[in-house]
């Protein structure tokens, strides 16, 4: 009996995720298949890789050393085979799969057509796209790449900026007629604001005063977990909202919302592609990142929120 790449990939996935269950979910396999691959791999190399106790597994010292050597070796092998497929006969034939995580509003409003063009160019590549406003753990949840809006909070991830956005404070004409129009950030304490459940208010309602960032106290009775839902509540006159311009600019242009305090500078939000560190970078991931940069850096994209 000889070991195979499926056994090595399964072993490394279990090492990364710590459990058979998580590895099986990521690889879309049953737990019994994952367990059998690990057992077969142990038999082939003649060493125990995990200690089993009450349904839990713990890697042995040998497993830790083996994984440290196998990870870069497997990466090199994948890169070599993908590079050969890419260069063969000059054909750009990406294969395999890419799992992509992105925020819901940005994904449905702007990312979907960009990914569609990438998929059309590479029909043999399988794309799995997950739109969710929660901050996903890319490694644990099995994603190759994610789109993040705002400053990076995970220094372990590699990143490349796609473009930038500045949030806008907006409200409906009816709300402003009823409650008045705030002139400065300190006036916000007298108003109802619509909150975002995934980020504390102090991190949403931020303004620039010279080199300093200020976060005035705000309060409200509504909290939602999606930017488009917050926008729609603001259109209905339920309070002030602070949202990325790419979400609210069309409603402002249509007169459904008013840009409040337009002369007060808000913090700049980078929109970035991020991915777990891997060396060498797989061709399919490198080309997707290059595609995203090209798509989101042109005049057409910037015009989505420019006056």
């Amino acid at each position: 009996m000889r070991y195979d790449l499926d056994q090595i990939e399964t072993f490394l996935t279990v090492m990364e995720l710590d459990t058979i269950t998580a590895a099986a979910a990521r690889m879309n396999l049953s737990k019994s298949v994952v367990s059998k691959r690990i057992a077969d791999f142990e038999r082939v190399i003649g060493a125990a890789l995990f200690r089993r106790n009450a349904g839990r597994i713990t890697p042995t010292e040998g497993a830790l050393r083996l994984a440290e050597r196998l990870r870069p070796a497997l990466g090199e092998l994948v890169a070599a085979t993908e590079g050969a497929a890419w260069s063969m006969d000059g054909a750009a034939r990406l294969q395999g799969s890419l799992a992509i995580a992105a925020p819901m509003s940005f994904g449905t409003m702007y990312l979907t057509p960009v990914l569609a063009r990438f998929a059309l160019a590479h029909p043999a590549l399988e794309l799995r796209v997950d739109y969710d406003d929660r901050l996903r753990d890319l490694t644990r949840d099995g994603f190759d790449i994610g789109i993040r809006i705002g400053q990076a909070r995970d220094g372990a991830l590699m990143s490349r900026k796609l473009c930038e956005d500045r949030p806008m404070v907006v409200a409906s004409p009816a709300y402003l007629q009823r409650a008045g129009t705030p002139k400065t950030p300190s006036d916000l304490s007298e108003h109802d604001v619509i909150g975002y459940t995934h980020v504390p208010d102090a991190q949403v309602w931020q303004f620039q005063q010279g080199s300093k960032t200020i976060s005035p106290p705000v309060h409200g009775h509504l909290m939602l977990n999606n930017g488009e839902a917050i926008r729609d509540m603001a259109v209905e006159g339920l309070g002030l909202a602070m949202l990325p311009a790419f979400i609210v600019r069309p409603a402002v242009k249509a007169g459904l919302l008013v840009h409040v305090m337009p002369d007060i500078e808000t913090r700049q939000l980078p929109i970035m592609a991020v991915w777990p560190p891997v060396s060498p970078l797989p061709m399919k991931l490198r080309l997707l990142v290059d595609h995203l940069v090209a798509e989101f850096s042109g005049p057409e994209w910037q015009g989505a929120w420019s006056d």
Side-chain angles (χ1 to χ4, degrees):
M1 176 183 280
R2 298 174 61 107
Y3 59 81
D4 57 38
L5 291 179
D6 285 341
Q7 292 169 355
I8 293 175
E9 182 183 9
T10 302
F11 163 64
L12 291 176
T13 303
V14 173
M15 288 291 294
E16 179 183 334
L17 301 180
D18 295 329
T19 70
I20 296 288
T21 301
R26 173 184 291 190
M27 302 181 75
N28 197 27
L29 298 171
S30 67
K31 290 190 290 184
S32 62
V33 169
V34 172
S35 297
K36 185 178 187 305
R37 286 183 181 179
I38 294 297
D40 289 344
F41 192 40
E42 288 177 320
R43 280 194 295 272
V44 169
I45 64 175
L49 297 173
F50 297 95
R51 301 182 186 91
R52 283 85 167 168
N53 183 25
R56 298 176 60 86
I57 60 171
T58 305
T60 63
E61 288 295 326
L64 295 172
R65 291 193 299 270
L66 181 61
E68 186 176 353
R69 299 186 65 180
L70 283 179
R71 284 192 188 98
L74 183 60
E76 289 283 359
L77 180 60
V78 170
T81 54
E82 288 181 347
W86 177 261
S87 60
M88 188 177 298
D89 299 326
R93 296 186 292 108
L94 295 185
Q95 298 183 2
S97 64
L98 279 174
I100 304 159
M104 178 70 72
S105 296
F106 184 79
T108 57
M109 295 176 71
Y110 296 105
L111 185 61
T112 294
V114 170
L115 293 179
R117 287 188 282 274
F118 188 76
L120 286 170
H122 305 287
L125 183 66
E126 177 184 325
L127 296 184
R128 175 170 69 86
V129 185
D130 189 317
Y131 292 149
D132 193 328
D133 284 341
R134 294 174 298 169
L135 189 64
R136 307 298 296 269
D137 184 322
L138 299 185
T139 299
R140 182 164 293 278
D141 293 342
F143 291 104
D144 298 290
I145 186 171
I147 304 299
R148 298 279 169 84
I149 300 174
Q151 296 298 331
R153 285 181 269 174
D154 188 345
L157 295 175
M158 307 300 291
S159 66
R160 191 168 174 190
K161 187 169 73 172
L162 306 179
C163 55
E164 295 175 340
D165 182 64
R166 285 193 182 275
M168 300 170 65
V169 179
V170 294
S172 71
Y175 174 85
L176 296 176
Q177 184 176 11
R178 183 175 75 248
T181 301
K183 304 298 183 184
T184 67
S186 61
D187 294 340
L188 294 174
S189 61
E190 304 299 321
H191 287 265
D192 289 324
V193 305
I194 305 171
Y196 181 51
T197 55
H198 295 307
V199 180
D201 285 338
Q203 294 180 21
V204 173
W205 295 84
Q206 293 185 345
F207 301 86
Q208 296 297 129
Q209 284 190 344
S211 60
K212 298 169 65 174
T213 299
I214 64 169
S215 182
V218 296
H219 64 85
H221 302 95
L222 286 172
M223 297 281 291
L224 294 97
N225 67 351
N226 174 261
E228 290 172 280
I230 294 173
R231 177 202 61 198
D232 292 346
M233 287 289 190
V235 168
E236 294 299 325
L238 291 166
L240 294 158
M242 190 170 192
L243 289 165
F246 70 78
I247 293 179
V248 296
R249 176 65 70 183
V252 171
K253 288 187 174 182
L256 300 173
L257 292 171
V258 176
H259 187 186
V260 177
M261 300 184 296
D263 297 328
I264 305 296
E265 186 177 1
T266 58
R267 75 206 190 289
Q268 199 168 54
L269 293 178
I271 300 177
M272 300 182 296
V274 299
W275 61 91
V278 57
S279 180
L281 190 66
M283 179 69 72
K284 58 190 176 184
L285 184 54
R286 182 188 316 152
L287 291 178
L288 175 59
V289 172
D290 289 344
H291 176 76
L292 293 172
V293 170
E295 288 274 356
F296 288 127
S297 61
E300 182 180 355
W301 165 252
Q302 297 295 339
W305 59 64
S306 61
D307 287 318

Short mmCIF file of all heavy atoms in Angstrom, two decimals, residues 1-4 7 36-37 39-45:
data_model
loop_
_atom_site.label_atom_id
_atom_site.label_comp_id
_atom_site.label_asym_id
_atom_site.label_seq_id
_atom_site.Cartn_x
_atom_site.Cartn_y
_atom_site.Cartn_z
N MET A 1 0.85 -1.20 0.00
CA MET A 1 0.00 0.00 0.00
C MET A 1 0.88 1.25 0.00
O MET A 1 1.88 1.31 0.71
CB MET A 1 -0.92 0.01 1.23
CG MET A 1 -1.77 1.27 1.35
SD MET A 1 -2.77 1.31 2.84
CE MET A 1 -4.13 0.27 2.36
N ARG A 2 0.50 2.25 -0.81
CA ARG A 2 1.22 3.51 -0.87
C ARG A 2 0.28 4.64 -0.47
O ARG A 2 -0.93 4.55 -0.67
CB ARG A 2 1.75 3.76 -2.29
CG ARG A 2 2.75 2.72 -2.78
CD ARG A 2 3.07 2.98 -4.23
NE ARG A 2 3.67 4.31 -4.39
CZ ARG A 2 4.97 4.49 -4.65
NH1 ARG A 2 5.77 3.46 -4.75
NH2 ARG A 2 5.45 5.70 -4.82
N TYR A 3 0.85 5.69 0.06
CA TYR A 3 0.01 6.85 0.38
C TYR A 3 -0.33 7.59 -0.91
O TYR A 3 0.36 7.46 -1.93
CB TYR A 3 0.71 7.78 1.37
CG TYR A 3 2.03 8.33 0.90
CD1 TYR A 3 2.09 9.41 0.04
CD2 TYR A 3 3.22 7.76 1.34
CE1 TYR A 3 3.30 9.92 -0.39
CE2 TYR A 3 4.44 8.27 0.92
CZ TYR A 3 4.47 9.35 0.06
OH TYR A 3 5.67 9.84 -0.36
N ASP A 4 -1.41 8.40 -0.86
CA ASP A 4 -1.79 9.18 -2.03
C ASP A 4 -2.06 10.62 -1.60
O ASP A 4 -2.09 10.95 -0.42
CB ASP A 4 -2.99 8.57 -2.77
CG ASP A 4 -4.21 8.41 -1.86
OD1 ASP A 4 -4.46 9.30 -1.03
OD2 ASP A 4 -4.92 7.40 -2.00
N GLN A 7 -4.94 11.34 0.85
CA GLN A 7 -4.63 11.10 2.26
C GLN A 7 -3.84 12.27 2.85
O GLN A 7 -4.10 12.70 3.97
CB GLN A 7 -3.84 9.80 2.39
CG GLN A 7 -4.64 8.55 2.06
CD GLN A 7 -3.76 7.32 1.94
OE1 GLN A 7 -2.54 7.40 2.01
NE2 GLN A 7 -4.39 6.17 1.76
N LYS A 36 -11.17 7.10 7.60
CA LYS A 36 -10.50 6.00 6.89
C LYS A 36 -9.22 6.49 6.21
O LYS A 36 -8.19 5.80 6.24
CB LYS A 36 -11.43 5.36 5.87
CG LYS A 36 -10.82 4.13 5.18
CD LYS A 36 -11.79 3.49 4.22
CE LYS A 36 -11.23 2.18 3.67
NZ LYS A 36 -9.90 2.33 3.04
N ARG A 37 -9.28 7.66 5.60
CA ARG A 37 -8.08 8.19 4.96
C ARG A 37 -6.96 8.41 5.97
O ARG A 37 -5.79 8.11 5.70
CB ARG A 37 -8.39 9.51 4.25
CG ARG A 37 -9.18 9.34 2.96
CD ARG A 37 -9.38 10.68 2.27
NE ARG A 37 -10.15 10.56 1.04
CZ ARG A 37 -10.47 11.59 0.26
NH1 ARG A 37 -10.08 12.82 0.59
NH2 ARG A 37 -11.16 11.40 -0.84
N ALA A 39 -6.60 6.84 8.87
CA ALA A 39 -6.15 5.52 9.33
C ALA A 39 -5.26 4.86 8.29
O ALA A 39 -4.22 4.27 8.62
CB ALA A 39 -7.36 4.64 9.66
N ASP A 40 -5.65 4.96 7.01
CA ASP A 40 -4.83 4.38 5.94
C ASP A 40 -3.47 5.06 5.86
O ASP A 40 -2.44 4.41 5.65
CB ASP A 40 -5.55 4.51 4.59
CG ASP A 40 -6.75 3.58 4.48
OD1 ASP A 40 -6.86 2.65 5.30
OD2 ASP A 40 -7.59 3.81 3.58
N PHE A 41 -3.45 6.38 6.02
CA PHE A 41 -2.19 7.12 5.97
C PHE A 41 -1.28 6.70 7.12
O PHE A 41 -0.06 6.52 6.94
CB PHE A 41 -2.50 8.62 6.02
CG PHE A 41 -1.32 9.50 5.70
CD1 PHE A 41 -0.43 9.18 4.69
CD2 PHE A 41 -1.12 10.68 6.40
CE1 PHE A 41 0.65 10.01 4.38
CE2 PHE A 41 -0.04 11.51 6.10
CZ PHE A 41 0.84 11.17 5.10
N GLU A 42 -1.86 6.52 8.30
CA GLU A 42 -1.07 6.08 9.45
C GLU A 42 -0.46 4.69 9.20
O GLU A 42 0.69 4.44 9.56
CB GLU A 42 -1.94 6.07 10.71
CG GLU A 42 -2.27 7.46 11.22
CD GLU A 42 -3.19 7.43 12.43
OE1 GLU A 42 -4.13 6.58 12.43
OE2 GLU A 42 -2.99 8.22 13.37
N ARG A 43 -1.26 3.81 8.60
CA ARG A 43 -0.76 2.47 8.32
C ARG A 43 0.40 2.51 7.31
O ARG A 43 1.40 1.81 7.46
CB ARG A 43 -1.88 1.57 7.79
CG ARG A 43 -2.79 1.02 8.89
CD ARG A 43 -3.64 -0.12 8.37
NE ARG A 43 -4.59 0.32 7.35
CZ ARG A 43 -5.81 0.79 7.63
NH1 ARG A 43 -6.20 0.88 8.89
NH2 ARG A 43 -6.62 1.15 6.65
N VAL A 44 0.28 3.36 6.30
CA VAL A 44 1.31 3.43 5.28
C VAL A 44 2.63 3.94 5.86
O VAL A 44 3.70 3.38 5.59
CB VAL A 44 0.85 4.34 4.12
CG1 VAL A 44 2.01 4.64 3.17
CG2 VAL A 44 -0.29 3.68 3.34
N ILE A 45 2.57 4.99 6.67
CA ILE A 45 3.82 5.56 7.18
C ILE A 45 4.30 4.83 8.44
O ILE A 45 5.41 5.05 8.90
CB ILE A 45 3.67 7.06 7.47
CG1 ILE A 45 2.65 7.32 8.59
CG2 ILE A 45 3.26 7.82 6.20
CD1 ILE A 45 2.56 8.78 8.99
#
